């Protein structure tokens, strides 16, 4: 990677407190340097070893950072929690924050099944508490038609995969979101064929940047961001990072994923960030980072090529988009 995007030595005190971010823009405007400083960008932070602890304000205590964080500036907490896609709660970017407030994310279990030696159903809180899983803060970039940098709290999916011991026939991992039209009003409409389904090749799922996320910005994951457990795959477009996961299934054949079934000419299975492959309705050569002025060049694999490019060696990425 060029520059100083990733570093293993990010200290907890270097992750800016939420109240500082909420006041930063006013300060910048007053100082006359708003335009210059807004060019700093988006972050998604490293994970830390976490003693599972919640207070009345849902804060999470953590102690150790992940080695995969970027040193770009994170987005404000308000950006991250009020501007996102979660069609189960509405089509507009602001809808999830409004419609998901009464969503019940406890009790919650995740079934792990299919081609594994040790299938099991796990309570989400028991999963988080497992001593074999190290929760860390990852400051990573996520891209849709726009991008943000977010301090995620979670752990590599690979750690869970190793525990359930996939069989040799397992080549893909399928993920399924909760189907509950009573709680998720968007599921009352045929926007997609519910429930939402996504998938990864097993080697993609095993990459240390593929995360199961339980929080952000030092707090438990808000409903609108995919509580209580979601996937984050930072080198792919945002629709791959499925939210509110209830099932993880190991399979032999490539799963039929929701957006690929709905519009296969627009949304391929891989969905790698690739500025050289345009969406049929728009160019993907540039991106707009929330909170910044103007647009910037999109980086191949969203800037994570050092860690993931070998997964696709020899593949035609225009065909396998």
């Amino acid at each position: 990677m060029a520059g100083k995007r990733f570093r293993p030595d990010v200290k907890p005190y270097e992750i800016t407190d939420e109240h500082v971010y909420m006041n930063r823009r006013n300060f910048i405007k007053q100082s006359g340097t708003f335009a210059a400083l807004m060019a700093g960008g988006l972050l998604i932070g490293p994970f830390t070893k976490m003693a599972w602890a919640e207070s009345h304000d849902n804060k999470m205590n953590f102690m150790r950072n992940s080695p995969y964080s970027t040193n770009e500036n994170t987005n404000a907490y308000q950006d991250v929690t009020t501007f996102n896609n979660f069609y189960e709660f509405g089509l507009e970017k602001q809808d999830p924050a409004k419609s998901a407030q009464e969503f019940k994310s406890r009790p919650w279990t995740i079934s792990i099944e299919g081609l594994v030696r040790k299938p099991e159903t796990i309570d989400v809180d028991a999963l988080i508490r497992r001593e074999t899983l190290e929760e860390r803060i990852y400051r990573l970039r996520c891209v849709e038609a726009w991008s943000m940098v977010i301090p995620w709290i979670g752990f590599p999916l690979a750690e869970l995969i190793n525990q359930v011991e996939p069989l040799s026939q397992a080549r893909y991992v399928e993920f399924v979101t909760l189907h509950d039209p009573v709680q998720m009003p968007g599921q009352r409409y045929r926007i997609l064929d519910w429930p939402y389904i996504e998938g990864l090749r097993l080697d993609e799922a095993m990459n240390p940047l593929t995360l199961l996320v339980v929080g952000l910005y030092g707090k438990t994951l808000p409903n609108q961001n995919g509580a209580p457990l979601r996937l984050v795959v930072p080198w792919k477009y945002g629709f791959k990072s499925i939210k509110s996961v209830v099932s993880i299934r190991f399979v032999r054949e490539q799963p039929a994923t929701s957006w690929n079934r709905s519009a296969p000419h627009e949304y391929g299975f891989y969905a790698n960030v690739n500025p050289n492959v345009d969406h049929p309705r728009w160019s993907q050569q540039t991106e707009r980072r929330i909170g910044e002025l103007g647009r910037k060049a999109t980086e191949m694999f969203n800037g994570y090529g050092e860690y993931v490019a070998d997964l696709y060696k020899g593949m035609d990425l225009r065909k396998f988009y």
Side-chain angles (χ1 to χ4, degrees):
M1 296 295 295
K4 300 179 179 179
R5 176 160 292 116
F6 299 98
R7 58 181 184 178
D9 59 342
V10 182
K11 306 298 190 300
Y13 59 76
E14 295 181 284
I15 301 171
T16 307
D17 289 339
E18 178 187 338
H19 77 275
V20 175
Y21 270 89
M22 298 303 286
N23 292 310
R24 173 178 285 178
R25 292 182 180 175
N26 288 335
F27 171 79
I28 293 172
K29 289 178 181 178
Q30 291 170 4
S31 66
T33 59
F34 176 80
L37 294 182
M38 286 304 289
L42 307 171
L43 291 178
I44 298 172
F47 267 82
T48 68
K49 173 71 177 179
M50 190 168 62
W52 176 250
E54 291 187 72
S55 65
H56 64 281
D57 57 359
N58 296 320
K59 289 185 178 179
M60 305 178 82
N61 296 327
F62 49 84
M63 300 178 296
R64 193 156 66 88
N65 289 320
S66 156
Y68 293 103
S69 287
T70 172
N71 61 2
E72 298 174 42
N73 294 327
T74 53
N75 273 77
Y77 180 83
Q78 184 174 3
D79 290 340
V80 175
T81 57
T82 63
F83 191 92
N84 60 334
N85 287 330
F86 198 173
Y87 282 5
E88 284 82 347
F89 293 103
L91 298 180
E92 301 299 324
K93 301 292 188 293
Q94 296 80 13
D95 287 346
K98 299 174 184 176
S99 302
Q101 293 310 303
E102 302 305 317
F103 180 68
K104 305 299 182 186
S105 64
R106 296 296 193 283
W108 194 280
T109 58
I110 303 99
S111 65
I112 303 171
E113 54 194 50
L115 299 173
V116 293
R117 287 189 175 85
K118 299 179 179 179
E120 59 180 316
T121 298
I122 306 174
D123 180 87
V124 68
D125 291 327
L127 175 64
I128 294 167
R129 292 189 187 104
R130 286 189 177 187
E131 293 181 358
T132 53
L133 298 178
E134 292 186 346
E135 286 71 49
R136 307 172 180 89
I137 294 179
Y138 292 81
R139 284 187 288 185
L140 309 172
R141 283 197 295 161
C142 289
V143 169
E144 297 193 31
W146 37 269
S147 64
M148 286 194 236
V149 177
I150 304 170
W152 299 111
I153 300 173
F155 52 87
L157 173 61
E159 296 184 13
L160 181 61
I161 292 176
N162 287 332
Q163 290 184 25
V164 299
E165 299 181 12
L167 301 177
S168 60
Q169 305 97 302
R171 299 172 57 216
Y172 295 89
V173 187
E174 178 187 77
F175 306 87
V176 182
T177 292
L178 176 70
H179 186 218
D180 186 349
V182 174
Q183 290 201 84
M184 295 173 150
Q187 291 180 341
R188 301 168 196 169
Y189 306 95
R190 295 303 298 270
I191 303 165
L192 292 168
D193 186 10
W194 309 111
Y196 195 87
I197 296 173
E198 257 306 335
L200 297 171
R201 237 172 36 198
L202 183 57
D203 58 346
E204 294 178 309
M206 291 293 293
N207 186 279
L209 276 172
T210 302
L211 309 177
L212 284 177
V213 165
V214 296
L216 55 77
Y217 241 115
K219 297 184 178 183
T220 54
L221 198 63
N223 290 342
Q224 63 266 32
N225 292 97
L229 185 78
R230 65 169 290 168
L231 192 70
V232 168
V233 192
W235 71 93
K236 295 178 180 286
Y237 287 103
F239 66 89
K240 296 294 290 187
S241 295
I242 187 171
K243 303 176 179 75
S244 301
V245 176
V246 294
S247 174
I248 300 174
R249 184 173 178 82
F250 293 77
V251 297
R252 181 179 180 85
E253 304 299 328
Q254 180 176 300
T257 58
S258 291
W259 278 109
N260 186 234
R261 283 185 297 172
S262 177
H265 63 295
E266 296 189 4
Y267 301 101
F269 174 81
Y270 285 94
N272 290 321
V273 175
N274 186 349
N276 303 312
V277 176
D278 289 340
H279 186 281
R281 290 182 281 124
W282 57 75
S283 169
Q284 298 186 144
Q285 294 182 4
T286 64
E287 65 188 58
R288 181 174 71 88
R289 185 162 290 182
I290 302 304
E292 290 188 4
L293 303 177
R295 301 181 68 85
K296 61 182 295 182
T298 301
E299 295 184 59
M300 187 69 189
F301 299 119
N302 198 23
Y304 295 99
E306 176 182 352
Y307 303 100
V308 303
D310 284 350
L311 294 171
Y312 311 104
K313 189 173 294 185
M315 290 180 63
D316 181 349
L317 298 183
R318 290 184 176 273
K319 178 180 179 182
F320 299 101
Y321 58 93

